[in-house]
């Protein structure tokens, strides 16, 4: 992109240079060596004497953007008179090289801007002093526009809960852009009690966790040269101490298991930066070496293998980051292992679905407790796959919640395939033993349009019957006309 801009600037510079050479040649062809105007047709001197004139080419007011180039040529009718250029601060431009310099072309003095900057804005003046005490001047106004840009604006910024914060978005441009703010796609209307617009951003008073999200800084610019629009989206992360989700942790603080089974204790805590979790029991911290602990963003899971009744009791989860620490206790109580489903039969089948009935019932008259069956787990594996490894490690697992009187659909299966399937019931304490393994098969995949074949056949038969009726009717009419002719 930088090479493209340099190339475009050089092209503009070259075109301006060619233009000035042509104009200078035209002016030169209408002036004799002595500075006396000549007739363009005959080349003979003109008898009258025009007053000395100072001209600029081009002389119109043009708006430019920074980094563009420009050339302005100054010419006096008397080529022997010395010319000079002055900048907006009235200083003489004497450099013949550099970003702003002068060059002589065919009796004219050309002011060249190789790369325009904001400081170039103002009146630039060409002077002609013929020594008679009269100094002639002619000026042009340089208007410099600066496109919208964002300075010191990071796309991800942070704030601390309960403190004031400024989302930095410093917008530059000339004319000065108008800035508006949006939060998660919705417009903000500062100033108000919460937000205040600043020259370099947006002030948020007493930041809360709900202030976390995407803020968009939109800039509009209108000038004589046109209008433009730019925007910058900023992600604000609010640092806060860990907090437990509000959803009912009363019941989550109690977990059931049974001797010989295993149970997962789950601890969730939202925090920024994310919290580090630790587990303990009886003032003894657990480690990854002594226990199975799985951690992820904002959640930790402790797996307990219940070998005997000493595993039951109180477990403590602690979540900590740089802003604070929270903790909660989870009671692991002894529950009852559920019985496996008493029913396990196939209700329906097609090419990719098996409909299984396990006799699911859900009581609406009795409040559920830790012994109530709350769901079922299915494991299924193609028979050929099981024959290769003789285990269920590669089996597909499907979990369902219990619903009264419903059957369970095992979908997205392979057509024309035999599956081995087993089921276990689930309550608050864990899973039952598996049912006996049963084998069910999906149907072969039917050709496209197969199911609609009988209907199509019926439609064709109906069409054929209608054709026969029409033919018979035509024959009857033809026979009637023939009889009438014979009677006549």
């Amino acid at each position: 992109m930088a090479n493209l801009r340099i190339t475009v600037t050089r092209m503009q510079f070259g075109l301006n240079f060619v233009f000035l050479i042509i104009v200078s040649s035209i002016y030169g062809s209408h002036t004799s060596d002595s500075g006396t105007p000549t007739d363009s047709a005959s080349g003979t001197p003109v008898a009258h004497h025009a007053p000395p004139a100072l001209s600029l080419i081009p002389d119109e007011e043009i708006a430019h953007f920074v980094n563009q180039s420009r050339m302005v040529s100054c010419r006096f009718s008397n080529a022997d008179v010395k010319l000079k250029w002055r900048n907006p601060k009235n200083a003489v431009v004497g450099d013949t090289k550099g970003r702003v310099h002068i060059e002589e072309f065919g009796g004219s003095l050309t002011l060249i801007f190789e790369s325009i900057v904001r400081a170039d804005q103002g009146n630039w003046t060409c002077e002609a002093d013929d020594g008679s005490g009269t100094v002639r001047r002619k000026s042009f106004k340089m208007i410099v526009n600066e496109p919208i840009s964002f300075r010191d604006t990071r796309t991800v910024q942070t704030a601390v809960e309960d403190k004031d914060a400024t989302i930095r978005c410093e917008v530059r441009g000339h004319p000065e852009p108008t800035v508006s703010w949006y939060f998660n796609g919705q417009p903000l209307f500062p100033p108000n009690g919460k937000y205040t617009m600043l020259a370099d951003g947006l002030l948020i008073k007493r930041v809360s966790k709900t202030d976390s999200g995407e803020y968009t800084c939109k800039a509009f610019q209108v000038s004589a040269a046109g209008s433009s629009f730019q925007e910058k989206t900023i992600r604000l992360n609010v640092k806060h101490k860990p907090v437990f989700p509000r959803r009912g942790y009363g019941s989550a603080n109690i977990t059931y298991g049974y001797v010989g089974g295993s149970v997962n204790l789950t601890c969730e805590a939202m925090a920024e930066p994310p919290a580090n979790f630790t587990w303990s029991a009886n003032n003894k911290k657990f480690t990854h070496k002594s226990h199975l602990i799985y951690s992820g963003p904002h959640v930790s899971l402790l797996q307990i293998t219940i070998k005997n009744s000493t595993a039951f009791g109180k477990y403590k989860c602690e979540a900590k980051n740089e802003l604070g620490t929270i903790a909660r206790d989870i009671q692991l109580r002894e529950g009852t292992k559920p019985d496996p489903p008493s029913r396990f039969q196939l209700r329906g089948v097609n090419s990719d679905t098996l409909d299984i009935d396990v006799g699911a019932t859900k009581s609406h008259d009795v409040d559920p407790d830790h012994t109530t069956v709350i769901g079922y787990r299915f494991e299924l594996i193609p028979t050929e796959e099981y024959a290769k490894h003789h285990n269920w490690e590669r089996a597909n697992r499907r979990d369902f919640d219990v619903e009264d009187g419903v059957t369970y659909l095992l979908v997205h299966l392979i057509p024309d395939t035999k599956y081995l399937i087993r089921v276990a019931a689930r309550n608050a304490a864990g899973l039952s033993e598996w049912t006996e393994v049963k084998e069910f098969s999906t149907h072969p995949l039917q050709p496209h349009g197969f199911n609609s074949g009988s209907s199509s056949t019926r439609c064709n038969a109906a069409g054929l019957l209608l054709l026969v009726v029409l033919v018979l009717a035509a024959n009857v009419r033809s026979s009637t006309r023939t009889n009438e002719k014979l009677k006549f």
Side-chain angles (χ1 to χ4, degrees):
M1 182 61 73
N3 291 335
L4 177 60
R5 290 175 179 168
I6 293 172
T7 302
V8 171
T9 300
R10 289 174 176 171
M11 289 176 62
Q12 293 174 341
F13 185 88
L15 291 173
N16 289 335
F17 180 80
V18 172
F19 173 74
L20 289 174
I21 292 296
I22 294 172
V23 172
S24 298
S25 299
I26 294 173
Y27 269 79
S29 65
H30 285 265
T31 306
S32 64
D33 293 339
S34 62
T36 303
T38 61
D39 182 81
S40 58
S42 62
T44 58
V46 178
H48 68 277
H49 297 279
L54 186 66
S55 60
L56 300 181
I57 305 173
D59 61 354
E60 70 270 17
E61 182 179 289
I62 301 176
H64 294 269
F65 281 103
V66 294
N67 298 323
Q68 288 185 325
S69 62
R70 181 174 183 179
M71 301 172 65
V72 181
S73 179
C74 178
R75 172 177 288 276
F76 190 59
S77 56
N78 184 351
D80 295 330
V81 173
K82 292 296 183 180
L83 304 175
K84 66 177 65 173
W85 278 100
R86 292 184 183 272
N87 64 22
K89 295 181 180 180
N90 204 36
V92 175
V93 180
D95 294 335
T96 57
K97 292 182 179 180
R99 188 185 65 81
V100 180
H101 66 274
I102 55 173
E103 294 185 21
E104 292 187 8
F105 294 107
S108 65
L109 186 64
T110 301
L111 179 66
I112 299 174
F113 299 85
E114 292 188 355
S115 178
I116 296 173
V117 299
R118 280 280 297 118
D120 293 335
Q121 178 155 310
N123 291 320
W124 294 75
T125 303
C126 180
E127 291 184 355
D129 186 356
D130 59 4
S132 64
T134 300
V135 179
R136 293 174 174 81
R137 298 181 178 88
K138 191 153 188 176
S139 302
F140 75 92
K141 185 176 182 180
M142 171 77 83
I143 300 174
V144 181
N145 292 333
E146 182 179 354
I148 296 172
S149 63
F150 297 94
R151 306 288 179 86
D152 191 23
T153 304
R154 300 186 305 276
T155 56
V156 178
Q157 301 183 30
T158 59
V160 179
E161 186 180 25
D162 294 328
K163 294 185 178 181
D164 294 350
T166 297
I167 302 176
R168 292 191 60 82
C169 182
E170 187 176 353
V171 182
R172 297 285 183 88
H174 184 81
E176 184 177 353
T178 300
V179 177
S180 59
W181 284 90
Y182 287 72
F183 176 52
N184 290 336
Q186 299 300 315
L188 297 177
F189 301 100
N192 55 34
K194 184 72 174 177
Y195 306 103
T196 302
M197 286 185 62
L198 305 176
D200 60 350
L202 179 71
L203 172 66
I204 306 177
K205 295 183 178 179
R206 191 154 188 186
V207 172
S208 66
K209 290 185 289 293
T210 58
D211 293 320
S212 178
E214 288 190 346
Y215 291 80
T216 304
C217 173
K218 297 187 177 184
F220 300 85
Q221 185 184 61
V222 179
S223 67
S227 61
S228 61
F229 163 78
Q230 295 287 338
E231 65 178 35
K232 190 85 167 181
T233 298
I234 302 159
R235 172 71 191 183
L236 181 67
N237 294 327
V238 178
K239 290 185 175 182
H240 62 88
K241 65 182 182 181
V243 292
F244 292 125
R246 291 185 177 181
R247 57 180 180 272
Y249 256 129
S251 59
N253 286 338
I254 301 175
T255 302
Y256 292 90
Y258 54 82
V259 175
S262 61
V263 64
N264 294 328
L265 305 184
T266 303
C267 185
E268 292 183 75
M270 300 302 298
E272 183 60 41
N276 294 317
F277 293 89
T278 57
W279 290 90
S280 63
N282 300 319
N283 295 322
K284 182 180 179 181
K285 286 189 176 182
F286 298 158
T287 66
H288 288 276
K289 293 182 179 180
S290 62
H291 289 78
L292 289 175
I293 301 174
Y294 304 94
S295 296
H298 311 298
V299 65
S300 182
L301 185 148
L302 171 66
Q303 187 175 89
I304 302 293
T305 300
I306 307 174
K307 297 179 180 179
N308 52 53
S309 60
T310 61
F312 300 111
K314 184 171 67 175
Y315 293 81
K316 184 177 181 179
C317 166
E318 186 177 273
K320 180 180 181 180
N321 71 359
E322 62 189 53
L323 299 175
T325 303
I326 57 173
R328 73 180 183 94
D329 295 331
I330 301 176
Q331 291 285 342
L332 177 57
R333 295 179 180 177
E334 187 169 6
T336 303
K337 184 177 182 178
D339 294 325
S342 59
R343 185 187 306 168
F344 179 23
Q345 61 188 29
L346 184 66
R347 289 290 303 272
V349 60
N350 63 24
S351 60
D352 65 353
T353 302
L354 296 173
D355 185 3
I356 308 294
D357 181 12
V358 294
T361 58
K362 186 175 184 180
S363 175
H364 300 282
D365 300 326
V366 180
D367 291 334
D369 59 19
H370 65 275
T371 65
T372 303
V373 173
I374 57 176
Y376 298 94
R377 173 170 291 178
F378 290 77
E379 284 192 345
L380 59 156
I381 185 172
T383 302
E384 290 186 2
E385 181 73 16
Y386 182 84
K388 296 177 182 177
H389 307 283
H390 296 285
N391 60 56
W392 292 80
E393 292 181 0
R394 292 173 173 78
N396 181 254
R397 180 178 296 175
R398 312 276 180 98
D399 287 318
F400 297 92
D401 292 331
V402 69
E403 294 292 341
D404 190 21
V406 303
T407 58
Y408 297 98
L409 299 178
L410 305 180
V411 298
H412 306 303
L413 305 181
I414 304 171
D416 196 18
T417 302
K418 293 180 180 180
Y419 283 89
L420 297 178
I421 303 176
R422 62 183 184 176
V423 191
R426 184 179 77 250
N427 67 8
L431 292 171
S432 70
E433 296 293 338
W434 293 103
T435 61
E436 62 174 323
V437 177
K438 292 189 176 183
E439 185 179 64
F440 301 118
S441 300
T442 56
H443 287 169
L445 187 64
Q446 301 295 338
H448 181 69
F450 176 82
N451 293 333
S452 61
S454 58
S455 140
S456 174
T457 303
R458 287 195 296 269
C459 290
N460 291 337
L464 182 59
L465 179 60
L466 178 60
L467 180 60
V468 170
V469 171
L470 292 174
V471 171
L472 291 175
N475 289 337
V476 169
R477 287 196 297 271
S478 175
S479 176
T480 302
R481 292 194 190 96
T482 304
N483 292 336
E484 289 176 351
K485 290 179 179 180
L486 291 173
K487 289 179 181 179
F488 178 79

